Structure formats: structure tokens, C-alpha cells
């Protein structure tokens, strides 16, 4: 019997569970995929059950359950923060204190209660870790490197907001730390909030908005909000922020600095929001680059591993890769708090004597991040029959041929194949696909299928062997976490005298793959290799043979405000509620035009907005 360790993250946002066998990740999932509540913070009961069921084990077979942070240390930080902000923070303190006193401080007892409720046997010993150690472990231990520098950058854990580590073998040694309230993640979240997006979920929208603007406020940000040192350390001027005093991130200080109130979340975007996004993005990249140079200097390593919420800023990651501070950069695909479950388990597993058997193979230990549930043919057929779906069953080769023909004809395809992804990106298992050559595909998919803002860019999935012909990216990017420029050979001449600004820039095709080329000629690239996802690789190969283009638009199989689909039922519901033309699910192909009308009024309900 292998040594099994179960990791858990919960009670803030993006709760998750992960299961290791002898230090190797074998299952991991976000709770939101099961509960259908986006960024679900609840104890990940369904994710834990999935992990155990997928391995055919029960709780007594697990040696240790590892929780991703230390609630006692976190409570001390909460107390200190509220005390320092008194009396203005009293109301928030009064509202949050009961949960801390009733169960958060007794997290082991709370976890044991939840595990017992699963009725899967007696829970094993339960340990707590440290938030940033969990991030660092998730970044280094699954990486393909024997040794590396490690950076964990986020909003805040217990006290740490930025940590620098040196990973060697099965050991991690912390070298430096920045502490709350001085946080790069919270700086970015403050601008996310001020621009009218939701904190802890809208940061990627701000990142996507940045290329539409001019970074005209960078000097103002550096002069008033953040003092950045040459080594990447920094301090925020807390007089301009509100997050210490209540639930809001910004207030009158930001209004004075940036010429007006916070944008209403559903109001039109203006040049101010474009420029604010561009400015804080540039400042963020500057800090990340300085931190990386310090990490290189302190460790002497040529490779860097990243985790923490800021590591999901793929524009900063892309700049880090292109500037050559390190020879290679590896980013944990579940870099946020969900990945903390994996990191907590890895820390325990390594301490228990596990080895990193994948090192030396040239591959990481994440199995392409395909660690979630899958469904066999019988389960998929049963789901479709329950829904009264009309479908054709095809062999895999015939299915791919039909999908390729539909994509080349401008159709949009829902693609549901194999194990679900772990992390926020769809990587070819729960994806919506389109033809990147179609100049109308980006706006069509945003407005009629994803029901989201028109400015949001889509990512290209490209055959790894052909990627250099399309993108200026010198290293592998399997998890869609690096932004690179579209190669000069694929770009179109754009009239330099064009007066288009803001969202008008969307109307100008910029390359031979316009649906995945952002307004600054960039793209968030996913390299697809046959050994990571053979079925998706076969589809891309067939599309390339048919069209001469080894690229597809790849976006997550969901609509705005909902988690990525998990089950066949989820996939069929999303398919029917949107303008997706075809659904390829297992060996079955469904066409929208042949489906019976929806019967359940709930399916017709308004798409939830975030």
C-alpha cells in the first residue's frame, strides 16, 4: 500500500482537496466544480470524496490529512490588524470574530468533524502547515527541477505576503519574507476593486484590460502607494488604502489620486480604467522582475518556480521569461489557494520520506494538471439519456474528423474529454473551442457563449512542436500561464495612423490568428504535447492537417459567473444554455439544432453575473 497523504484548503476562497501516493499527485479538484458555487470557500467535502473514491481508498488508508495554513497564526494577524485600525475596524471585527472563536481556531476538530460526516471511516491524524510553505511546496516539489529558486507571492497568508525559497531535492529553505500589510497581491486587488471588478476573482480581468490603456499613472503609484526597493522589497503607504479598516479595498484616498469615485461594476469602462489597469500592471511586473533578480542572486539557481495568486498573472510571468532572468520558469497550474491543498500534502509527504521520482525525466509531476474526475462511456450515455439528448456515437477518429470539419466551418464546439483539469485554466479536457483564424470568433464567443465582457482575450492552444512558428516564446508553456507575442511572420500590418483607442481596438485584426491575438499582439499560450493530453493533441494535429493551422481558440467550458463544468450533466446544461454549436463528449457528438427544447425553467434562468 502506498503512503497516502490528503491535502485540504478551505475557508477563504477556492477550497480544494488533493491526494498523493508516495509523494505523487494522483487526484485533485476544486470544491466549486462539485457544488457549482464559484470560488466556493466551504470545506471541500465533495472534492475529498472524489479524491478517495478515485483511488479506491477510505480515510483509514490515509496516513495524514494536511491543512494548508496555520489558523492560530492567522488569527493573531487578524487581531493585530483590527487593533491597529481601531476604532474604524470595529464593525468588521465584530462580524468576523464569532467564526474565529467557534471553529476556525479549532480547525483540526472542524476538519475531523467534516471528514467523519463523509462516512468513509475513521479520519487519520490531522496537521496544519504554513500558507506560504504550502505555496512554495506546490511550486517546487512537482517541478521538473532537482534544485531551483522559488517565489511565492499573493495577497496574504498568516503574515507573509511574499516569500523567497531555495529548493533542493526534497527540501525547501526560506531565505526572505515580506509581511502583511505590505502586499503586492493586495495592491493589485485594490485596483481591481477600484476599477469595478470583484476582488479574488476579477484580477485577471484587470490584467486583460491593461493592453487597452497607457501606463500614465505609474509614477503616481510609485510616489504615493508603493515604495519599491532595488531588491524587489516594498512598502505600501497604508494611508491610501481601506482594507485594514473594513471590507472595502479603497476609499477617498484613491478617489483623490485618480480623479473620481470607484467605477460601478456594471457601468461602461472608460479610458481611466484602461490606464489604471496598464499602470498597476507595469508596477506589478517591475516588482516581480526585481524579486526574481534577487532570487537568482541569493540562490545562484538558473531555474525559478512560482506559486501564489500573483503567479496567475501570466503577463508578468511572460515578461519574466522573456527578460531571461532565469533560464527556465515553472509555474504551478493551481497557483492560488486551491493549490495550497496540494502543497500542504507535498510538504508532509516529503517529510515522511517520499522521493521526487519524476526529476530527471524532463517532465513535471502534475500529469498535465489532469487530476480531476473522468466519466466512462456508460456514465456519459446514462446522463445524455436522462436529459433526452439526441446524439451520435462515433469512434474517436470519426469524432475528431467531424469536430475538425465543424471548427473549420466556423462552428463553436464544447469539448468534454477525460479527466478534468486542476487549476483555473481549461487545458483541453473541459474546453470550448473555435477557429482562431475567424476575426469574429472573439466577440462571438465572449458575448453569445461566455456571456462576458467583450474586451476579454482568448487563449491559443498550439501544438508544442509548431509553437515557435506562431509565438515568440523560448520555453515550454503547458499550463497557459505565460503570455508571449505573436511572431512577426504571423502579424498583419496595422495602420499606424489609426485613431482607434480603448475597446475600438478590438475591431482591428492584428494577425493571421486574430481570435487569439490581443490588442498589443500578445497571447496567453498553451503548448499541447502528446504525452500530456494525447486526445487533444490528436484534435489539434487533425485541425492542422485540414487547415494548415496548428492553433485553436481554447477557453474554459463555462459561462460567466459559473465554475468550469465537471460532469456530463454540467456540460449538457451549459451547451443548451449557450450558442455552442456542437458538443463532443466522450465518443458522442451532439448538434444543437437536433436537441429537444429545454424543459426545466431553471435552465432558462439569467446567467449569473460576478
Amino acid at each position: 500500500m502506498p503512503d497516502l497523504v490528503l491535502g485540504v484548503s478551505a475557508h477563504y476562497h477556492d477550497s480544494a482537496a488533493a491526494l498523493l501516493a508516495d509523494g505523487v499527485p494522483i487526484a485533485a479538484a476544486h470544491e466549486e466544480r462539485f457544488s457549482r458555487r464559484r470560488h466556493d470557500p466551504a470545506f471541500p467535502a465533495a472534492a475529498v470524496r472524489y479524491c478517495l473514491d478515485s483511488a479506491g481508498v477510505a480515510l483509514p488508508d490515509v496516513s495524514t490529512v494536511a491543512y494548508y495554513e496555520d489558523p492560530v497564526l492567522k488569527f493573531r494577524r487578524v487581531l493585530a490588524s483590527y487593533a491597529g485600525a481601531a476604532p474604524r475596524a470595529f464593525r468588521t471585527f465584530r462580524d468576523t470574530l464569532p467564526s474565529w472563536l467557534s471553529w476556525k481556531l479549532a480547525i483540526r476538530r472542524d476538519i475531523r468533524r467534516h471528514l467523519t460526516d463523509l462516512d468513509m471511516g475513521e479520519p487519520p491524524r490531522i496537521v496544519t502547515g504554513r500558507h506560504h510553505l504550502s505555496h512554495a511546496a506546490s511550486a517546487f516539489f512537482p517541478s521538473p527541477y532537482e534544485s531551483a529558486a522559488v517565489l511565492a507571492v499573493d495577497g496574504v497568508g498568516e503574515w507573509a505576503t511574499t516569500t523567497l525559497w531555495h529548493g533542493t531535492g526534497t527540501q525547501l529553505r526560506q531565505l526572505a519574507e515580506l509581511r502583511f500589510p505590505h502586499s503586492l497581491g493586495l495592491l493589485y486587488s485594490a485596483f481591481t476593486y477600484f476599477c469595478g471588478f470583484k476582488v479574488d476573482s476579477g484580477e485577471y480581468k484587470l490584467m486583460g484590460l491593461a493592453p487597452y490603456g497607457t501606463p500614465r499613472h505609474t509614477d503616481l503609484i510609485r510616489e504615493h502607494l508603493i515604495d519599491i526597493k532595488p531588491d524587489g522589497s516594498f512598502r505600501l503607504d497604508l494611508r491610501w488604502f481601506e482594507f485594514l479598516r473594513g471590507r472595502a479595498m479603497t476609499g477617498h484616498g484613491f478617489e483623490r489620486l485618480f480623479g473620481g469615485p470607484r467605477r460601478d461594476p456594471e457601468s461602461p469602462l472608460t479610458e481611466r480604467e484602461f490606464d489604471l489597469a496598464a499602470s498597476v500592471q507595469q508596477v506589478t511586473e517591475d516588482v516581480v522582475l526585481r524579486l526574481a533578480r534577487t532570487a537568482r542572486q541569493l540562490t545562484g539557481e538558473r531555474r525559478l518556480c512560482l506559486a501564489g495568486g500573483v503567479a496567475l498573472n501570466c503577463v508578468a510571468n511572460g515578461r519574466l521569461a522573456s527578460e531571461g532572468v532565469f533560464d527556465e520558469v515553472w509555474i504551478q497550474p493551481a497557483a492560488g489557494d486551491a493549490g495550497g491543498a496540494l502543497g500542504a500534502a507535498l510538504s508532509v509527504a516529503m517529510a515522511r520520506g517520499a522521493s521526487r521520482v519524476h526529476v530527471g525525466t524532463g517532465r513535471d509531476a502534475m500529469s498535465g494538471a489532469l487530476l480531476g474526475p473522468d466519466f466512462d462511456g456508460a456514465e456519459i450515455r446514462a446522463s445524455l439519456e436522462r436529459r433526452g439528448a439526441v446524439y451520435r456515437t462515433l469512434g474517436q477518429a470519426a469524432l475528431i474528423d467531424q469536430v475538425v470539419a465543424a471548427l473549420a466551418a466556423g462552428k463553436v464546439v464544447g469539448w468534454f474529454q477525460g479527466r478534468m483539469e486542476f487549476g483555473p485554466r481549461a487545458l483541453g479536457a473541459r474546453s470550448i473551442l473555435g477557429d482562431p483564424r475567424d476575426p469574429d470568433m472573439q466577440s462571438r464567443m465572449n458575448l453569445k457563449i461566455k456571456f462576458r465582457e467583450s474586451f476579454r482575450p482568448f487563449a491559443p492552444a498550439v501544438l508544442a512542436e509548431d509553437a515557435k512558428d506562431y509565438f515568440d516564446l523560448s520555453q515550454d508553456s503547458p499550463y497557459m500561464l505565460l503570455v508571449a507575442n505573436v511572431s512577426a511572420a504571423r502579424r498583419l500590418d496595422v495602420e499606424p495612423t489609426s485613431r482607434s483607442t480603448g475597446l475600438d481596438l478590438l475591431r482591428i485584426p492584428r494577425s493571421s490568428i486574430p481570435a487569439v491575438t490581443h490588442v498589443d499582439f500578445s497571447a496567453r499560450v498553451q503548448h499541447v504535447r502528446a504525452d500530456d493530453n494525447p486526445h487533444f493533441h490528436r484534435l489539434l494535429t487533425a485541425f492542422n492537417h485540414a487547415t494548415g493551422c496548428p492553433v485553436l481558440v481554447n477557453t474554459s467550458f463555462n459561462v460567466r459567473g459559473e465554475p468550469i463544468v465537471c460532469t456530463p450533466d454540467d456540460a449538457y446544461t451549459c451547451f443548451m444554455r449557450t450558442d455552442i454549436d456542437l458538443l463532443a463528449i466522450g465518443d458522442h457528438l451532439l448538434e444543437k439544432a437536433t436537441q429537444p427544447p429545454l424543459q426545466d425553467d431553471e435552465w432558462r434562468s439569467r446567467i449569473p453575473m460576478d
Side-chain angles (χ1 to χ4, degrees), residues 460-505:
V462 58
L463 290 172
E465 52 268 35
D466 295 313
K468 289 184 178 180
D469 293 335
Y470 282 79
F471 306 102
D472 297 334
L473 187 57
S474 59
Q475 72 158 74
D476 197 22
S477 179
Y479 300 124
M480 208 183 279
L481 288 172
L482 290 171
V483 160
N485 287 329
V486 174
S487 66
R490 303 294 170 182
R491 296 188 190 184
L492 303 177
D493 290 331
V494 177
E495 178 57 51
T497 60
S498 171
R499 296 183 181 273
S500 296
T501 59
L503 296 184
D504 290 338
L505 295 168

Side-chain angles (χ1 to χ4, degrees), residues 265 341 391 524:
Y391 61 91
R524 177 164 44 93

Side-chain angles (χ1 to χ4, degrees), residues 280-464:
V280 74
Q281 179 63 37
Q282 187 174 96
V283 170
T284 299
E285 292 171 22
D286 183 26
V287 175
V288 169
L289 281 168
R290 294 187 191 198
L291 288 169
R293 292 188 184 104
T294 298
R296 176 74 186 254
Q297 179 183 2
L298 292 180
T299 65
E301 295 287 351
R302 297 183 297 109
R303 298 176 178 89
L304 174 68
C305 301
L306 293 173
V310 175
L312 293 172
N313 191 310
C314 51
V315 178
N317 297 342
R319 188 172 168 202
L320 183 57
S322 67
E323 299 240 348
V325 180
F326 286 87
D327 295 352
E328 296 178 76
V329 179
W330 189 88
I331 306 143
Q332 165 55 236
D337 279 4
L342 178 66
L346 283 162
S347 293
V348 169
M350 297 302 148
R352 289 176 59 84
S355 58
R356 301 172 64 219
V357 294
H358 64 283
V359 173
T361 67
R363 303 191 63 199
D364 63 41
M366 291 299 296
S367 299
L370 304 177
L371 295 167
D374 62 351
F375 298 85
D376 62 28
E379 291 172 308
I380 293 173
R381 284 192 300 274
S383 173
L384 296 177
E385 292 293 337
R386 282 196 306 271
R387 307 299 286 270
V390 178
Y391 61 91
R392 289 181 290 146
T393 302
L394 306 169
Q396 285 293 299
L399 180 84
I400 285 177
D401 287 344
Q402 295 272 323
V403 170
V404 165
L407 290 167
K411 303 289 187 182
V412 176
V413 177
W415 183 256
F416 183 103
Q417 303 289 336
R419 298 187 72 176
M420 183 179 68
E421 300 91 344
F422 181 53
R425 307 299 184 207
L427 301 171
R430 304 290 187 273
S431 292
I432 299 173
L433 307 175
D435 186 344
R437 303 169 301 162
D438 185 342
D440 296 322
M441 185 61 68
Q442 190 263 0
S443 60
R444 180 187 166 202
M445 290 180 78
N446 263 332
L447 300 177
K448 294 187 176 182
I449 293 170
K450 299 285 283 187
F451 303 110
R452 69 184 196 181
E453 301 92 342
S454 62
F455 69 84
R456 303 267 294 278
F458 286 109
V462 58
L463 290 172

Side-chain angles (χ1 to χ4, degrees), residues 162-174:
T162 301
T163 51
L164 193 164
W165 309 72
H166 192 186
T168 54
T170 59
Q171 303 293 319
L172 273 167
R173 182 166 61 94
Q174 185 174 327

Side-chain angles (χ1 to χ4, degrees), residues 8 31 42 86 137 155 158 192 194 200 257 274 278 429 458 485 496 502 514 519:
V8 171
E31 183 69 9
E158 294 89 3
T192 299
F194 192 68
D200 291 329
L257 270 183
F274 303 147
F458 286 109
N485 287 329
V519 296

Side-chain angles (χ1 to χ4, degrees), residues 70 147 165-166 278 283 384 522 570 599 602:
D70 185 334
S147 64
W165 309 72
H166 192 186
V283 170
L384 296 177
S522 69
D570 299 336
Q599 300 299 317
E602 184 179 344

